[in-house]
Amino acid sequence: MTVAPRLLGAVIEHQTEDGIVGVRLTEVEAYHGELDPASHAFRGRTKRNAVMFGEPGFVYVYFTYGMHYCMNLVCERAGIASALLLRAGEVVEGAELADERRRGAPHRELARGPARLAVTLGIGRDDNGRDACDPASPLRVRAGSPVAPGAVKSGPRVGVAAAVDVPWRFWIDGDPTVSPYRKHVPKRRPANPAPDRAAGAQGFSS
DNA sequence: CTTCCGATATACT
DNA sequence: GTATATCGGAAGG
């Protein structure tokens, strides 16, 4: 977790046949392996989270809500399934390609949020398990511009249902590309028709 | 800015 | 069957 603030300011680059996009990280969240009820690794290894249990510096991509990809970097030694969710950043390379991928969203919104960041970088299933510390990798992390001393803030993670108060979200204070904080909202159950009226009153009983 | 809502793969009970 | 580390659009201030 101590690496989380150090990742801010670093640049993620993804090279594809369409070109290269680079994003300077402004917001990340730490997930503490099997000790953290909000972590995908909390209940042990699955097909999805297998990369989290491997070597640090590798990319863990997961698919969620039936439509979004999110990208993490594994950050502890093999066996300790901790990872950093890349939540937001500023596009610093390949703005034109990023614009196409994000359908002309305003520049500061291109990678403002983990699923948006993945779209902007062109991240998909195939990127799961890549080595981001290999400079020859098409998906890699490199040193970026330094973050001003004292500019890193921390607070509760966005949208998580468990461990809601643990301050494991880190961001660059005042940066416009940092995503807005949002509390977890439980899905509303579809309201069941009131049993005393629904059928009888409208004549659908039988 | 805010709230509400639906889309829907994967993991879990 | 239910829940979710999300987003975009619509509507309201």
Side-chain angles (χ1 to χ4, degrees):
Chain A
M1 192 194 85
T2 52
V3 293
R6 289 206 300 119
L7 198 55
L8 297 174
V11 173
I12 305 293
E13 289 178 328
H14 192 203
Q15 176 99 58
T16 66
E17 56 184 10
D18 296 331
I20 187 168
V21 170
V23 168
R24 176 179 180 260
L25 297 175
T26 58
E27 180 189 1
V28 301
E29 276 173 3
Y31 287 87
H32 267 221
E34 294 165 286
L35 302 175
D36 176 3
S39 170
H40 286 170
F42 183 59
R43 290 175 180 82
R45 182 178 179 132
T46 65
K47 185 171 186 178
R48 175 174 69 164
N49 68 20
V51 174
M52 293 180 80
F53 288 79
E55 294 290 329
F58 281 67
V59 174
Y60 166 48
V61 175
Y62 68 89
F63 187 59
T64 192
Y65 288 97
M67 64 195 80
H68 300 303
Y69 292 98
C70 295
M71 174 178 172
N72 301 250
L73 289 176
V74 178
C75 62
E76 297 276 1
R77 68 181 185 274
I80 302 186
S82 292
L84 298 167
L85 171 67
L86 310 186
R87 281 202 56 90
E90 178 191 358
V91 172
V92 292
E93 288 174 78
E96 187 175 328
L97 176 53
D99 279 349
E100 283 176 29
R101 287 173 171 162
R102 289 275 293 119
R103 306 284 191 100
H107 184 266
R108 72 167 211 161
E109 305 260 325
L110 289 175
R112 193 182 190 219
R116 292 163 164 186
L117 180 145
V119 169
T120 284
L121 284 171
I123 300 300
R125 286 175 140 43
D126 293 347
D127 298 301
N128 190 44
R130 283 203 153 121
D131 181 1
C133 290
D134 177 359
S137 170
L139 178 58
R140 68 245 178 198
V141 57
R142 67 163 173 83
S145 42
V147 176
V152 175
K153 294 234 177 180
S154 66
R157 296 171 291 186
V158 173
V160 294
V164 292
D165 294 327
V166 181
W168 288 341
R169 173 185 183 226
F170 300 87
W171 67 92
I172 298 175
D173 190 33
D175 191 293
T177 65
V178 173
S179 69
Y181 177 73
R182 189 174 38 76
K183 231 176 26 173
H184 173 73
V185 188
K187 267 292 202 188
R188 311 173 138 208
R189 297 278 340 262
N192 288 339
D196 56 327
R197 307 189 133 243
Q202 305 206 347
F204 288 128
S205 60
S206 102

